[in-house]
Amino acid sequence: MKLFRAFAATVLFVLLLLSTYYLHIRFFTVNVVFYAAIADGVIAALVTSLVMYPSRTFNGFEKFQLLVIWVLAGYCFAISVPTVIDRSLSFYILEKLQQRGGGIQQSRFADVFTKEYLKEHRLVDVRLTEQMESGTIQIVNGCVKLTEKGQKFAAASRYFRQNFLPKKRLLMGQYSSDLTDPFRNSADISDYKCQ
């Protein structure tokens, strides 16, 4: 009986999650897709918990466990569906290939990324908005600057990249450690630095 009711409550959670997400993106403003989808998951989990709260089938700890499971499921949904489709370069490549009739010359992909992807997806605007909303950057007099929080995140990210990403990663038929230190051979261009 408990298993059936937990399953039924989870089905209700999924329906509420999808409905909340749809209503949110259709009728309300969204600052950052990822954060909005997480909020939708939390709302759906809380509403499902409130509906289930009067039930005597589950004790308090079991109800709490279900709530945690639903919040985690909402997070998985947020990061695995809308965020991946919104941000994914891999999906962009597939969509671009489809748009171009199913094929693009491999030698022209650099042009596709620099001349089309950045513009079509407003990539700079999206990422700057996300970082401002996260509190990791601020824009002062046309200069994008790291906040203290941004400094900490950048240092942690760089540390993780250098120490915990694969040193032998397959890139176009060869194994490489290039992505553990992508700035290794970076050009020293200083004309866009802020004073």
Side-chain angles (χ1 to χ4, degrees):
M1 185 58 123
K2 276 188 180 185
L3 188 59
F4 175 76
R5 290 198 177 181
F7 178 75
T10 301
V11 169
L12 174 63
F13 162 75
V14 170
L15 293 173
L16 284 171
L17 172 64
L18 297 176
S19 300
T20 304
Y21 175 76
Y22 181 78
L23 291 172
H24 192 168
I25 61 151
R26 215 18 114 206
F27 300 109
F28 296 93
T29 59
V30 172
N31 292 352
V32 177
V33 171
F34 177 57
Y35 298 154
I38 287 177
D40 297 335
V42 170
I43 290 168
L46 291 174
V47 171
T48 306
S49 291
L50 290 174
V51 169
M52 189 186 76
Y53 183 77
S55 170
R56 295 181 190 267
T57 305
F58 304 104
N59 64 38
F61 182 68
E62 291 167 332
K63 290 175 184 177
F64 176 74
Q65 283 180 314
L66 284 170
L67 175 64
V68 169
I69 290 168
W70 296 329
V71 168
L72 291 173
Y75 176 79
C76 289
F77 167 77
I79 204 163
S80 301
V81 183
T83 303
V84 164
I85 291 173
D86 180 54
R87 294 173 164 229
S88 175
L89 182 55
S90 299
F91 275 110
Y92 174 79
I93 289 170
L94 297 175
E95 291 173 18
K96 183 53 74 171
L97 286 166
Q98 184 182 53
Q99 179 201 25
R100 297 287 188 237
I104 297 173
Q105 295 173 24
Q106 183 179 352
S107 63
R108 299 301 303 271
F109 264 86
D111 289 335
V112 169
F113 295 145
T114 58
K115 295 178 181 170
E116 297 181 49
Y117 179 54
L118 288 171
K119 181 179 177 185
E120 291 168 346
H121 281 246
R122 293 185 61 187
L123 206 56
V124 174
D125 294 337
V126 168
R127 296 304 183 261
L128 289 177
T129 299
E130 289 175 355
Q131 296 308 313
M132 284 190 295
E133 290 294 313
S134 299
T136 56
I137 66 166
Q138 57 184 345
I139 300 177
V140 180
N141 298 325
C143 183
V144 180
K145 295 184 174 249
L146 279 174
T147 62
E148 185 176 331
K149 180 181 179 181
Q151 290 281 3
K152 290 176 183 174
F153 271 98
S157 170
R158 188 122 174 93
Y159 180 82
F160 188 92
R161 176 180 299 283
Q162 290 178 331
N163 295 288
F164 298 106
L165 284 184
K167 305 282 188 222
K168 296 177 183 174
R169 179 176 179 173
L170 184 64
L171 297 173
M172 294 303 295
Q174 296 181 352
Y175 288 94
S176 170
S177 67
D178 287 353
L179 297 182
T180 61
D181 187 6
F183 304 144
R184 183 182 308 152
N185 299 313
S186 195
D188 186 23
I189 303 170
S190 59
D191 65 338
Y192 54 72
K193 290 182 182 175
C194 296
Q195 300 303 324

